[in-house]
Amino acid sequence: QVQLVESGGGLVQAGDSLRLSCTASGRTFSIYTTGWFRQAPGKEREFVAGITRSSAYIAYADSVKDRFTISRDNAKNTVILQMNSLKPEDTAVYYCAAEFGGGGVYRRPNEYHYWGQGTQVTVSS
């Protein structure tokens, strides 16, 4: 069992940056593959970025590649999503998710068992 808490969301202007954090408690976080997803109003939850437990594999959605960076610090039980050059279309609730193990990055929401409560990111034009 692992509990996830996201933080760092907010209201920014287009072109600004935000740094989202996902902090875990409970079972050892280092054994979990972790992903960031987002969901805009009226849209399905979509994959943003993911990182395996040892950071050996990292993946990004095409829409955020070269703008977002995911990283993790297992000693601090934290996964970071650094978001640069934000666009209005990045506006959504951002969720952290974790799943035990993983030889690669999971991209589908139903592949993750544990979820945080989400943090709102709003980008104004």
Side-chain angles (χ1 to χ4, degrees), residues 6 16 22 26 33-34 37 41 48-49 55-57 63-64 72 85 91 97 99 103-104 110 118:
E6 304 95 335
D16 286 350
C22 173
T33 287
T34 306
F37 290 76
V48 175
S55 303
Y57 297 97
S63 58
V64 306
R72 70 188 299 156
S85 302
T91 295
E99 181 56 47
N110 62 7

Side-chain angles (χ1 to χ4, degrees), residues 25-38:
S25 60
R27 196 173 175 183
T28 304
F29 191 49
S30 61
I31 63 175
Y32 289 85
T33 287
T34 306
W36 283 97
F37 290 76
R38 65 187 182 186

Side-chain angles (χ1 to χ4, degrees), residues 19 22-25 29 72-79:
R19 181 181 171 94
C22 173
T23 302
S25 60
F29 191 49
R72 70 188 299 156
D73 185 340
N74 287 335
K76 297 181 179 179
N77 288 340
T78 300
V79 171

Side-chain angles (χ1 to χ4, degrees), residues 45-62:
R45 192 168 297 190
E46 64 174 0
F47 173 79
V48 175
I51 186 168
T52 53
R53 53 190 174 180
S54 64
S55 303
Y57 297 97
I58 291 175
Y60 298 96
D62 288 342

